[in-house]
Amino acid sequence: MTCASLQFGDDRNWEVYPRGVLAAGIRRGVLPVGAGADLLLDSDVPVGAGLSSSAALGVAVLMALAGLHAVELDPVPAAEVCAEAERVQAGAPTGLLDPLASLLSRPGEAVLLDFQDLSWRHVPVRLDGWALLVVDTRVTHAVADGAYAQRRASVEAAAEAIGLPSLRSATLDQVDGLPDELRRRARHVVTENDRVLAAVGALEAGEVERLGSLMTASHVSLRDDFEVSCAELDLVVDVALAAGAAGARLTGAGFGGSAIVLLPASGAVPFGNEVRSAYRRAGFRSPTIAPVTPSAGARRLDG
């Protein structure tokens, strides 16, 4: 495989991702032995912004290779290839969430993924009169850093301590008996699982303000129990709530990256002005702000 990028120039570090996908795809039998390609990357997904740029790259590369070699992809095996590529080649202990989201997304819908049985369903997102904004804090996020692995290890240790294969079926009563740090990490997971289901209910009922409240509660838990937020992310959330947002939270693995804000569409421009002013006063780098909508996932573009 030969690789080139319109974004990275002479920086070759990014090549571990497509090369990892090729190797994992062959290793898992998803791609034929001898598969390869001349690859040119062009992307407008911000790198290091907590928006799963590495998963987007991996899925796009795998779909391109599959198309070149006439291979039909199933979502779960395809996601496993991409996750393995990140773990083995890039040293990032990630799972299937990001590649499956890239593979399964549809316009105007969210994806509810159940990792207990690897099932999914699509949930309509109706936000008439509301805007979703992604605020890139400009604090570089990298899941290959040690802090992300530490959180994952803590979650696994908590499940082992209470005798469960995962925290999926854990209760708050079980979690409360753990040592302090494990208790807080596990409490976030247990309560976040409940918030996900509640958020699905809010979307299905068209209860946007309830959805926003759940987003904010999620951020508080990520900040206080999981401890993956930072001053820049917290400032975005505080400014958003003061500006009348229904809710806001960090998105992705944290430790920098981006926040997502749900607010009335008429408040998008005033909020942008407020958060940039707040960043200047705090001495932070100016954030970038972009509206987002639920859109289609990875696919081949013909023509």
Side-chain angles (χ1 to χ4, degrees), residues 149-203:
Q150 289 170 5
R151 296 304 183 280
R152 179 164 184 153
S154 293
V155 168
E156 292 169 349
E160 183 178 358
I162 56 181
L164 293 173
S166 79
L167 292 178
R168 170 63 182 272
S169 56
T171 66
L172 285 177
D173 285 342
Q174 290 173 308
V175 165
D176 281 342
L178 294 171
D180 180 61
E181 181 175 307
L182 291 187
R183 174 172 51 82
R184 288 184 288 113
R185 304 294 188 251
R187 183 169 60 195
H188 166 71
V189 173
V190 172
T191 57
E192 188 76 347
N193 283 341
D194 290 341
R195 281 187 290 269
V196 168
L197 297 179
V200 169
L203 283 170

mmCIF file of all heavy atoms in Angstrom, residues 149-203:
data_model
loop_
_atom_site.group_PDB
_atom_site.id
_atom_site.type_symbol
_atom_site.label_atom_id
_atom_site.label_comp_id
_atom_site.label_asym_id
_atom_site.label_seq_id
_atom_site.Cartn_x
_atom_site.Cartn_y
_atom_site.Cartn_z
ATOM 1 N N ALA A 149 -6.524 4.628 28.513
ATOM 2 C CA ALA A 149 -6.321 3.234 28.891
ATOM 3 C C ALA A 149 -6.557 3.021 30.379
ATOM 4 O O ALA A 149 -7.080 1.981 30.796
ATOM 5 C CB ALA A 149 -4.917 2.791 28.502
ATOM 6 N N GLN A 150 -6.177 3.999 31.194
ATOM 7 C CA GLN A 150 -6.394 3.889 32.631
ATOM 8 C C GLN A 150 -7.887 3.821 32.959
ATOM 9 O O GLN A 150 -8.311 3.057 33.832
ATOM 10 C CB GLN A 150 -5.754 5.069 33.341
ATOM 11 C CG GLN A 150 -4.228 5.031 33.349
ATOM 12 C CD GLN A 150 -3.628 6.329 33.837
ATOM 13 O OE1 GLN A 150 -4.339 7.250 34.262
ATOM 14 N NE2 GLN A 150 -2.307 6.434 33.758
ATOM 15 N N ARG A 151 -8.692 4.635 32.289
ATOM 16 C CA ARG A 151 -10.138 4.601 32.547
ATOM 17 C C ARG A 151 -10.707 3.240 32.163
ATOM 18 O O ARG A 151 -11.526 2.668 32.885
ATOM 19 C CB ARG A 151 -10.859 5.710 31.766
ATOM 20 C CG ARG A 151 -10.475 7.124 32.156
ATOM 21 C CD ARG A 151 -10.679 7.377 33.648
ATOM 22 N NE ARG A 151 -10.370 8.744 34.014
ATOM 23 C CZ ARG A 151 -9.152 9.230 34.218
ATOM 24 N NH1 ARG A 151 -8.096 8.434 34.075
ATOM 25 N NH2 ARG A 151 -8.967 10.483 34.565
ATOM 26 N N ARG A 152 -10.291 2.740 31.029
ATOM 27 C CA ARG A 152 -10.783 1.432 30.607
ATOM 28 C C ARG A 152 -10.375 0.354 31.604
ATOM 29 O O ARG A 152 -11.177 -0.524 31.957
ATOM 30 C CB ARG A 152 -10.250 1.114 29.207
ATOM 31 C CG ARG A 152 -10.692 -0.233 28.696
ATOM 32 C CD ARG A 152 -10.490 -0.384 27.216
ATOM 33 N NE ARG A 152 -11.020 -1.661 26.755
ATOM 34 C CZ ARG A 152 -11.465 -1.896 25.537
ATOM 35 N NH1 ARG A 152 -11.470 -0.925 24.650
ATOM 36 N NH2 ARG A 152 -11.920 -3.080 25.190
ATOM 37 N N ALA A 153 -9.140 0.406 32.066
ATOM 38 C CA ALA A 153 -8.674 -0.581 33.041
ATOM 39 C C ALA A 153 -9.461 -0.482 34.344
ATOM 40 O O ALA A 153 -9.774 -1.506 34.971
ATOM 41 C CB ALA A 153 -7.181 -0.391 33.304
ATOM 42 N N SER A 154 -9.787 0.728 34.756
ATOM 43 C CA SER A 154 -10.568 0.910 35.984
ATOM 44 C C SER A 154 -11.954 0.292 35.855
ATOM 45 O O SER A 154 -12.463 -0.338 36.798
ATOM 46 C CB SER A 154 -10.698 2.401 36.314
ATOM 47 O OG SER A 154 -9.451 2.952 36.659
ATOM 48 N N VAL A 155 -12.582 0.476 34.709
ATOM 49 C CA VAL A 155 -13.910 -0.091 34.481
ATOM 50 C C VAL A 155 -13.840 -1.615 34.519
ATOM 51 O O VAL A 155 -14.686 -2.284 35.140
ATOM 52 C CB VAL A 155 -14.468 0.407 33.128
ATOM 53 C CG1 VAL A 155 -15.707 -0.387 32.726
ATOM 54 C CG2 VAL A 155 -14.790 1.892 33.206
ATOM 55 N N GLU A 156 -12.833 -2.179 33.888
ATOM 56 C CA GLU A 156 -12.681 -3.637 33.890
ATOM 57 C C GLU A 156 -12.392 -4.156 35.297
ATOM 58 O O GLU A 156 -12.915 -5.198 35.706
ATOM 59 C CB GLU A 156 -11.576 -4.033 32.929
ATOM 60 C CG GLU A 156 -11.934 -3.760 31.462
ATOM 61 C CD GLU A 156 -10.757 -3.897 30.522
ATOM 62 O OE1 GLU A 156 -9.601 -4.009 31.019
ATOM 63 O OE2 GLU A 156 -10.974 -3.902 29.293
ATOM 64 N N ALA A 157 -11.582 -3.416 36.052
ATOM 65 C CA ALA A 157 -11.269 -3.828 37.423
ATOM 66 C C ALA A 157 -12.512 -3.763 38.314
ATOM 67 O O ALA A 157 -12.714 -4.617 39.181
ATOM 68 C CB ALA A 157 -10.160 -2.944 37.996
ATOM 69 N N ALA A 158 -13.341 -2.750 38.089
ATOM 70 C CA ALA A 158 -14.569 -2.615 38.882
ATOM 71 C C ALA A 158 -15.510 -3.788 38.615
ATOM 72 O O ALA A 158 -16.103 -4.360 39.548
ATOM 73 C CB ALA A 158 -15.255 -1.294 38.557
ATOM 74 N N ALA A 159 -15.654 -4.157 37.356
ATOM 75 C CA ALA A 159 -16.521 -5.289 37.026
ATOM 76 C C ALA A 159 -15.995 -6.574 37.663
ATOM 77 O O ALA A 159 -16.765 -7.371 38.228
ATOM 78 C CB ALA A 159 -16.612 -5.438 35.515
ATOM 79 N N GLU A 160 -14.681 -6.772 37.596
ATOM 80 C CA GLU A 160 -14.087 -7.971 38.192
ATOM 81 C C GLU A 160 -14.289 -7.992 39.698
ATOM 82 O O GLU A 160 -14.575 -9.045 40.287
ATOM 83 C CB GLU A 160 -12.599 -8.027 37.852
ATOM 84 C CG GLU A 160 -11.905 -9.268 38.375
ATOM 85 C CD GLU A 160 -10.435 -9.319 37.990
ATOM 86 O OE1 GLU A 160 -9.968 -8.410 37.281
ATOM 87 O OE2 GLU A 160 -9.757 -10.271 38.411
ATOM 88 N N ALA A 161 -14.192 -6.826 40.325
ATOM 89 C CA ALA A 161 -14.314 -6.759 41.787
ATOM 90 C C ALA A 161 -15.709 -7.129 42.267
ATOM 91 O O ALA A 161 -15.866 -7.653 43.385
ATOM 92 C CB ALA A 161 -13.960 -5.351 42.270
ATOM 93 N N ILE A 162 -16.722 -6.875 41.460
ATOM 94 C CA ILE A 162 -18.083 -7.233 41.880
ATOM 95 C C ILE A 162 -18.567 -8.516 41.198
ATOM 96 O O ILE A 162 -19.735 -8.883 41.299
ATOM 97 C CB ILE A 162 -19.082 -6.087 41.639
ATOM 98 C CG1 ILE A 162 -19.097 -5.645 40.183
ATOM 99 C CG2 ILE A 162 -18.762 -4.913 42.544
ATOM 100 C CD1 ILE A 162 -20.071 -4.500 39.911
ATOM 101 N N GLY A 163 -17.642 -9.196 40.504
ATOM 102 C CA GLY A 163 -17.941 -10.515 39.966
ATOM 103 C C GLY A 163 -18.805 -10.534 38.731
ATOM 104 O O GLY A 163 -19.584 -11.480 38.532
ATOM 105 N N LEU A 164 -18.661 -9.517 37.873
ATOM 106 C CA LEU A 164 -19.450 -9.460 36.646
ATOM 107 C C LEU A 164 -18.520 -9.389 35.434
ATOM 108 O O LEU A 164 -17.418 -8.845 35.522
ATOM 109 C CB LEU A 164 -20.358 -8.221 36.652
ATOM 110 C CG LEU A 164 -21.478 -8.195 37.697
ATOM 111 C CD1 LEU A 164 -22.175 -6.842 37.684
ATOM 112 C CD2 LEU A 164 -22.486 -9.309 37.439
ATOM 113 N N PRO A 165 -18.956 -9.925 34.306
ATOM 114 C CA PRO A 165 -18.112 -9.837 33.111
ATOM 115 C C PRO A 165 -17.971 -8.416 32.586
ATOM 116 O O PRO A 165 -16.999 -8.082 31.910
ATOM 117 C CB PRO A 165 -18.829 -10.740 32.099
ATOM 118 C CG PRO A 165 -20.245 -10.804 32.579
ATOM 119 C CD PRO A 165 -20.175 -10.713 34.071
ATOM 120 N N SER A 166 -18.955 -7.577 32.876
ATOM 121 C CA SER A 166 -18.902 -6.162 32.512
ATOM 122 C C SER A 166 -19.819 -5.413 33.457
ATOM 123 O O SER A 166 -20.580 -6.016 34.236
ATOM 124 C CB SER A 166 -19.330 -5.943 31.057
ATOM 125 O OG SER A 166 -20.734 -5.968 30.948
ATOM 126 N N LEU A 167 -19.777 -4.097 33.378
ATOM 127 C CA LEU A 167 -20.639 -3.278 34.239
ATOM 128 C C LEU A 167 -22.033 -3.098 33.659
ATOM 129 O O LEU A 167 -22.854 -2.381 34.234
ATOM 130 C CB LEU A 167 -20.002 -1.907 34.473
ATOM 131 C CG LEU A 167 -18.729 -1.905 35.318
ATOM 132 C CD1 LEU A 167 -18.167 -0.492 35.434
ATOM 133 C CD2 LEU A 167 -18.996 -2.475 36.711
ATOM 134 N N ARG A 168 -22.312 -3.741 32.539
ATOM 135 C CA ARG A 168 -23.612 -3.585 31.892
ATOM 136 C C ARG A 168 -24.768 -3.940 32.830
ATOM 137 O O ARG A 168 -25.800 -3.279 32.859
ATOM 138 C CB ARG A 168 -23.658 -4.438 30.634
ATOM 139 C CG ARG A 168 -25.022 -4.573 29.989
ATOM 140 C CD ARG A 168 -25.566 -3.233 29.500
ATOM 141 N NE ARG A 168 -26.879 -3.407 28.930
ATOM 142 C CZ ARG A 168 -27.110 -3.714 27.660
ATOM 143 N NH1 ARG A 168 -26.081 -3.881 26.835
ATOM 144 N NH2 ARG A 168 -28.336 -3.866 27.217
ATOM 145 N N SER A 169 -24.603 -4.999 33.603
ATOM 146 C CA SER A 169 -25.681 -5.450 34.482
ATOM 147 C C SER A 169 -25.466 -5.041 35.932
ATOM 148 O O SER A 169 -26.195 -5.487 36.821
ATOM 149 C CB SER A 169 -25.840 -6.971 34.387
ATOM 150 O OG SER A 169 -24.622 -7.612 34.690
ATOM 151 N N ALA A 170 -24.489 -4.200 36.195
ATOM 152 C CA ALA A 170 -24.215 -3.779 37.580
ATOM 153 C C ALA A 170 -25.284 -2.801 38.069
ATOM 154 O O ALA A 170 -25.901 -2.071 37.290
ATOM 155 C CB ALA A 170 -22.845 -3.124 37.659
ATOM 156 N N THR A 171 -25.484 -2.809 39.383
ATOM 157 C CA THR A 171 -26.408 -1.866 40.010
ATOM 158 C C THR A 171 -25.612 -0.861 40.841
ATOM 159 O O THR A 171 -24.450 -1.105 41.192
ATOM 160 C CB THR A 171 -27.400 -2.599 40.923
ATOM 161 O OG1 THR A 171 -26.670 -3.176 42.032
ATOM 162 C CG2 THR A 171 -28.139 -3.698 40.169
ATOM 163 N N LEU A 172 -26.262 0.237 41.184
ATOM 164 C CA LEU A 172 -25.593 1.233 42.017
ATOM 165 C C LEU A 172 -25.260 0.676 43.389
ATOM 166 O O LEU A 172 -24.241 1.041 43.990
ATOM 167 C CB LEU A 172 -26.459 2.492 42.134
ATOM 168 C CG LEU A 172 -26.498 3.384 40.896
ATOM 169 C CD1 LEU A 172 -27.454 4.558 41.107
ATOM 170 C CD2 LEU A 172 -25.106 3.906 40.545
ATOM 171 N N ASP A 173 -26.108 -0.214 43.898
ATOM 172 C CA ASP A 173 -25.808 -0.822 45.196
ATOM 173 C C ASP A 173 -24.515 -1.632 45.132
ATOM 174 O O ASP A 173 -23.691 -1.591 46.055
ATOM 175 C CB ASP A 173 -26.965 -1.726 45.631
ATOM 176 C CG ASP A 173 -28.175 -0.935 46.110
ATOM 177 O OD1 ASP A 173 -28.007 0.260 46.418
ATOM 178 O OD2 ASP A 173 -29.273 -1.507 46.147
ATOM 179 N N GLN A 174 -24.306 -2.375 44.062
ATOM 180 C CA GLN A 174 -23.074 -3.142 43.914
ATOM 181 C C GLN A 174 -21.866 -2.222 43.788
ATOM 182 O O GLN A 174 -20.809 -2.465 44.359
ATOM 183 C CB GLN A 174 -23.172 -4.046 42.682
ATOM 184 C CG GLN A 174 -24.137 -5.203 42.821
ATOM 185 C CD GLN A 174 -24.316 -5.946 41.517
ATOM 186 O OE1 GLN A 174 -24.600 -5.347 40.481
ATOM 187 N NE2 GLN A 174 -24.148 -7.264 41.551
ATOM 188 N N VAL A 175 -22.035 -1.159 43.045
ATOM 189 C CA VAL A 175 -20.944 -0.213 42.802
ATOM 190 C C VAL A 175 -20.547 0.514 44.077
ATOM 191 O O VAL A 175 -19.366 0.804 44.301
ATOM 192 C CB VAL A 175 -21.360 0.781 41.693
ATOM 193 C CG1 VAL A 175 -20.454 1.988 41.651
ATOM 194 C CG2 VAL A 175 -21.402 0.065 40.346
ATOM 195 N N ASP A 176 -21.519 0.803 44.920
ATOM 196 C CA ASP A 176 -21.245 1.598 46.121
ATOM 197 C C ASP A 176 -20.266 0.922 47.072
ATOM 198 O O ASP A 176 -19.647 1.582 47.912
ATOM 199 C CB ASP A 176 -22.553 1.896 46.866
ATOM 200 C CG ASP A 176 -23.330 3.032 46.212
ATOM 201 O OD1 ASP A 176 -22.722 3.781 45.423
ATOM 202 O OD2 ASP A 176 -24.542 3.154 46.482
ATOM 203 N N GLY A 177 -20.092 -0.376 46.962
ATOM 204 C CA GLY A 177 -19.174 -1.074 47.850
ATOM 205 C C GLY A 177 -17.735 -1.080 47.389
ATOM 206 O O GLY A 177 -16.867 -1.631 48.085
ATOM 207 N N LEU A 178 -17.446 -0.468 46.253
ATOM 208 C CA LEU A 178 -16.086 -0.486 45.708
ATOM 209 C C LEU A 178 -15.220 0.601 46.339
ATOM 210 O O LEU A 178 -15.731 1.580 46.892
ATOM 211 C CB LEU A 178 -16.145 -0.257 44.190
ATOM 212 C CG LEU A 178 -16.823 -1.349 43.358
ATOM 213 C CD1 LEU A 178 -16.994 -0.882 41.923
ATOM 214 C CD2 LEU A 178 -15.987 -2.630 43.395
ATOM 215 N N PRO A 179 -13.897 0.475 46.279
ATOM 216 C CA PRO A 179 -13.007 1.560 46.707
ATOM 217 C C PRO A 179 -13.311 2.832 45.929
ATOM 218 O O PRO A 179 -13.847 2.796 44.819
ATOM 219 C CB PRO A 179 -11.609 1.024 46.379
ATOM 220 C CG PRO A 179 -11.764 -0.454 46.318
ATOM 221 C CD PRO A 179 -13.151 -0.716 45.812
ATOM 222 N N ASP A 180 -12.927 3.972 46.490
ATOM 223 C CA ASP A 180 -13.399 5.268 45.994
ATOM 224 C C ASP A 180 -13.233 5.468 44.496
ATOM 225 O O ASP A 180 -14.197 5.766 43.786
ATOM 226 C CB ASP A 180 -12.681 6.401 46.739
ATOM 227 C CG ASP A 180 -13.131 7.771 46.248
ATOM 228 O OD1 ASP A 180 -14.330 8.075 46.362
ATOM 229 O OD2 ASP A 180 -12.283 8.520 45.722
ATOM 230 N N GLU A 181 -12.027 5.304 43.973
ATOM 231 C CA GLU A 181 -11.834 5.607 42.550
ATOM 232 C C GLU A 181 -12.612 4.645 41.663
ATOM 233 O O GLU A 181 -13.278 5.074 40.717
ATOM 234 C CB GLU A 181 -10.347 5.561 42.184
ATOM 235 C CG GLU A 181 -10.099 5.905 40.720
ATOM 236 C CD GLU A 181 -8.626 5.975 40.363
ATOM 237 O OE1 GLU A 181 -7.873 6.712 41.047
ATOM 238 O OE2 GLU A 181 -8.223 5.287 39.408
ATOM 239 N N LEU A 182 -12.551 3.351 41.975
ATOM 240 C CA LEU A 182 -13.311 2.394 41.183
ATOM 241 C C LEU A 182 -14.807 2.663 41.294
ATOM 242 O O LEU A 182 -15.552 2.514 40.312
ATOM 243 C CB LEU A 182 -13.006 0.961 41.622
ATOM 244 C CG LEU A 182 -11.613 0.413 41.322
ATOM 245 C CD1 LEU A 182 -11.549 -1.069 41.675
ATOM 246 C CD2 LEU A 182 -11.236 0.617 39.857
ATOM 247 N N ARG A 183 -15.261 3.058 42.484
ATOM 248 C CA ARG A 183 -16.692 3.359 42.676
ATOM 249 C C ARG A 183 -17.135 4.495 41.767
ATOM 250 O O ARG A 183 -18.182 4.421 41.122
ATOM 251 C CB ARG A 183 -16.950 3.722 44.144
ATOM 252 C CG ARG A 183 -18.384 4.186 44.419
ATOM 253 C CD ARG A 183 -18.612 4.337 45.911
ATOM 254 N NE ARG A 183 -17.577 5.145 46.530
ATOM 255 C CZ ARG A 183 -17.572 6.479 46.533
ATOM 256 N NH1 ARG A 183 -18.533 7.148 45.936
ATOM 257 N NH2 ARG A 183 -16.596 7.137 47.143
ATOM 258 N N ARG A 184 -16.337 5.553 41.698
ATOM 259 C CA ARG A 184 -16.724 6.703 40.869
ATOM 260 C C ARG A 184 -16.689 6.354 39.386
ATOM 261 O O ARG A 184 -17.575 6.740 38.622
ATOM 262 C CB ARG A 184 -15.813 7.884 41.176
ATOM 263 C CG ARG A 184 -16.098 8.501 42.542
ATOM 264 C CD ARG A 184 -15.271 9.733 42.807
ATOM 265 N NE ARG A 184 -13.860 9.417 43.051
ATOM 266 C CZ ARG A 184 -12.859 9.752 42.237
ATOM 267 N NH1 ARG A 184 -13.094 10.411 41.118
ATOM 268 N NH2 ARG A 184 -11.606 9.439 42.547
ATOM 269 N N ARG A 185 -15.665 5.610 38.973
ATOM 270 C CA ARG A 185 -15.602 5.217 37.559
ATOM 271 C C ARG A 185 -16.803 4.334 37.200
ATOM 272 O O ARG A 185 -17.440 4.521 36.157
ATOM 273 C CB ARG A 185 -14.304 4.460 37.266
ATOM 274 C CG ARG A 185 -13.027 5.196 37.638
ATOM 275 C CD ARG A 185 -12.811 6.440 36.812
ATOM 276 N NE ARG A 185 -11.504 7.009 37.074
ATOM 277 C CZ ARG A 185 -11.287 8.143 37.735
ATOM 278 N NH1 ARG A 185 -12.319 8.852 38.188
ATOM 279 N NH2 ARG A 185 -10.055 8.598 37.927
ATOM 280 N N ALA A 186 -17.086 3.361 38.051
ATOM 281 C CA ALA A 186 -18.193 2.452 37.768
ATOM 282 C C ALA A 186 -19.542 3.162 37.878
ATOM 283 O O ALA A 186 -20.466 2.873 37.106
ATOM 284 C CB ALA A 186 -18.145 1.263 38.735
ATOM 285 N N ARG A 187 -19.669 4.090 38.821
ATOM 286 C CA ARG A 187 -20.933 4.832 38.948
ATOM 287 C C ARG A 187 -21.236 5.602 37.669
ATOM 288 O O ARG A 187 -22.382 5.681 37.229
ATOM 289 C CB ARG A 187 -20.860 5.776 40.140
ATOM 290 C CG ARG A 187 -22.156 6.552 40.395
ATOM 291 C CD ARG A 187 -22.084 7.249 41.731
ATOM 292 N NE ARG A 187 -20.970 8.192 41.782
ATOM 293 C CZ ARG A 187 -20.502 8.716 42.923
ATOM 294 N NH1 ARG A 187 -21.036 8.357 44.089
ATOM 295 N NH2 ARG A 187 -19.491 9.564 42.904
ATOM 296 N N HIS A 188 -20.194 6.170 37.065
ATOM 297 C CA HIS A 188 -20.433 6.865 35.797
ATOM 298 C C HIS A 188 -20.990 5.904 34.757
ATOM 299 O O HIS A 188 -21.963 6.233 34.050
ATOM 300 C CB HIS A 188 -19.150 7.498 35.249
ATOM 301 C CG HIS A 188 -19.294 7.908 33.819
ATOM 302 N ND1 HIS A 188 -20.075 8.970 33.427
ATOM 303 C CD2 HIS A 188 -18.802 7.348 32.667
ATOM 304 C CE1 HIS A 188 -20.051 9.066 32.110
ATOM 305 N NE2 HIS A 188 -19.291 8.094 31.630
ATOM 306 N N VAL A 189 -20.403 4.729 34.633
ATOM 307 C CA VAL A 189 -20.839 3.777 33.607
ATOM 308 C C VAL A 189 -22.285 3.362 33.841
ATOM 309 O O VAL A 189 -23.108 3.346 32.910
ATOM 310 C CB VAL A 189 -19.915 2.550 33.582
ATOM 311 C CG1 VAL A 189 -20.459 1.482 32.635
ATOM 312 C CG2 VAL A 189 -18.506 2.959 33.160
ATOM 313 N N VAL A 190 -22.615 3.022 35.079
ATOM 314 C CA VAL A 190 -23.965 2.554 35.385
ATOM 315 C C VAL A 190 -24.994 3.656 35.129
ATOM 316 O O VAL A 190 -26.040 3.430 34.505
ATOM 317 C CB VAL A 190 -24.043 2.051 36.841
ATOM 318 C CG1 VAL A 190 -25.485 1.746 37.235
ATOM 319 C CG2 VAL A 190 -23.173 0.811 37.012
ATOM 320 N N THR A 191 -24.718 4.855 35.600
ATOM 321 C CA THR A 191 -25.684 5.935 35.398
ATOM 322 C C THR A 191 -25.736 6.376 33.942
ATOM 323 O O THR A 191 -26.787 6.767 33.434
ATOM 324 C CB THR A 191 -25.360 7.139 36.297
ATOM 325 O OG1 THR A 191 -24.021 7.604 36.037
ATOM 326 C CG2 THR A 191 -25.478 6.759 37.769
ATOM 327 N N GLU A 192 -24.608 6.283 33.225
ATOM 328 C CA GLU A 192 -24.606 6.661 31.812
ATOM 329 C C GLU A 192 -25.445 5.690 30.986
ATOM 330 O O GLU A 192 -26.144 6.111 30.046
ATOM 331 C CB GLU A 192 -23.179 6.722 31.282
ATOM 332 C CG GLU A 192 -23.056 7.288 29.884
ATOM 333 C CD GLU A 192 -23.200 8.792 29.806
ATOM 334 O OE1 GLU A 192 -23.640 9.427 30.781
ATOM 335 O OE2 GLU A 192 -22.882 9.352 28.742
ATOM 336 N N ASN A 193 -25.382 4.410 31.311
ATOM 337 C CA ASN A 193 -26.244 3.449 30.617
ATOM 338 C C ASN A 193 -27.715 3.834 30.776
ATOM 339 O O ASN A 193 -28.491 3.775 29.815
ATOM 340 C CB ASN A 193 -26.011 2.042 31.166
ATOM 341 C CG ASN A 193 -24.723 1.430 30.647
ATOM 342 O OD1 ASN A 193 -24.172 1.855 29.645
ATOM 343 N ND2 ASN A 193 -24.235 0.419 31.356
ATOM 344 N N ASP A 194 -28.102 4.233 31.979
ATOM 345 C CA ASP A 194 -29.481 4.663 32.205
ATOM 346 C C ASP A 194 -29.799 5.930 31.414
ATOM 347 O O ASP A 194 -30.897 6.076 30.863
ATOM 348 C CB ASP A 194 -29.721 4.913 33.695
ATOM 349 C CG ASP A 194 -29.722 3.623 34.510
ATOM 350 O OD1 ASP A 194 -29.901 2.540 33.917
ATOM 351 O OD2 ASP A 194 -29.530 3.706 35.750
ATOM 352 N N ARG A 195 -28.839 6.850 31.353
ATOM 353 C CA ARG A 195 -29.082 8.093 30.605
ATOM 354 C C ARG A 195 -29.242 7.832 29.105
ATOM 355 O O ARG A 195 -30.023 8.508 28.431
ATOM 356 C CB ARG A 195 -27.949 9.088 30.864
ATOM 357 C CG ARG A 195 -28.048 9.815 32.196
ATOM 358 C CD ARG A 195 -26.999 10.908 32.318
ATOM 359 N NE ARG A 195 -25.665 10.366 32.453
ATOM 360 C CZ ARG A 195 -25.088 10.084 33.628
ATOM 361 N NH1 ARG A 195 -25.750 10.284 34.760
ATOM 362 N NH2 ARG A 195 -23.857 9.605 33.674
ATOM 363 N N VAL A 196 -28.494 6.875 28.580
ATOM 364 C CA VAL A 196 -28.629 6.549 27.152
ATOM 365 C C VAL A 196 -30.058 6.109 26.844
ATOM 366 O O VAL A 196 -30.681 6.580 25.882
ATOM 367 C CB VAL A 196 -27.623 5.454 26.748
ATOM 368 C CG1 VAL A 196 -27.958 4.902 25.367
ATOM 369 C CG2 VAL A 196 -26.205 6.013 26.758
ATOM 370 N N LEU A 197 -30.586 5.210 27.645
ATOM 371 C CA LEU A 197 -31.952 4.734 27.413
ATOM 372 C C LEU A 197 -32.958 5.860 27.605
ATOM 373 O O LEU A 197 -33.937 5.969 26.851
ATOM 374 C CB LEU A 197 -32.261 3.567 28.338
ATOM 375 C CG LEU A 197 -31.394 2.316 28.123
ATOM 376 C CD1 LEU A 197 -31.772 1.228 29.121
ATOM 377 C CD2 LEU A 197 -31.538 1.797 26.698
ATOM 378 N N ALA A 198 -32.725 6.704 28.587
ATOM 379 C CA ALA A 198 -33.621 7.840 28.799
ATOM 380 C C ALA A 198 -33.554 8.820 27.627
ATOM 381 O O ALA A 198 -34.561 9.400 27.213
ATOM 382 C CB ALA A 198 -33.270 8.550 30.102
ATOM 383 N N ALA A 199 -32.358 8.988 27.061
ATOM 384 C CA ALA A 199 -32.204 9.888 25.914
ATOM 385 C C ALA A 199 -32.944 9.343 24.699
ATOM 386 O O ALA A 199 -33.549 10.111 23.931
ATOM 387 C CB ALA A 199 -30.719 10.075 25.596
ATOM 388 N N VAL A 200 -32.919 8.030 24.510
ATOM 389 C CA VAL A 200 -33.689 7.430 23.422
ATOM 390 C C VAL A 200 -35.171 7.715 23.602
ATOM 391 O O VAL A 200 -35.874 8.099 22.656
ATOM 392 C CB VAL A 200 -33.428 5.910 23.346
ATOM 393 C CG1 VAL A 200 -34.412 5.226 22.395
ATOM 394 C CG2 VAL A 200 -32.007 5.646 22.901
ATOM 395 N N GLY A 201 -35.649 7.560 24.838
ATOM 396 C CA GLY A 201 -37.048 7.863 25.113
ATOM 397 C C GLY A 201 -37.384 9.320 24.835
ATOM 398 O O GLY A 201 -38.455 9.628 24.297
ATOM 399 N N ALA A 202 -36.477 10.230 25.194
ATOM 400 C CA ALA A 202 -36.704 11.646 24.944
ATOM 401 C C ALA A 202 -36.749 11.942 23.449
ATOM 402 O O ALA A 202 -37.585 12.725 22.979
ATOM 403 C CB ALA A 202 -35.610 12.473 25.625
ATOM 404 N N LEU A 203 -35.860 11.330 22.690
ATOM 405 C CA LEU A 203 -35.868 11.526 21.237
ATOM 406 C C LEU A 203 -37.156 10.995 20.628
ATOM 407 O O LEU A 203 -37.771 11.653 19.772
ATOM 408 C CB LEU A 203 -34.663 10.821 20.608
ATOM 409 C CG LEU A 203 -33.312 11.521 20.756
ATOM 410 C CD1 LEU A 203 -32.192 10.584 20.310
ATOM 411 C CD2 LEU A 203 -33.277 12.805 19.933
#
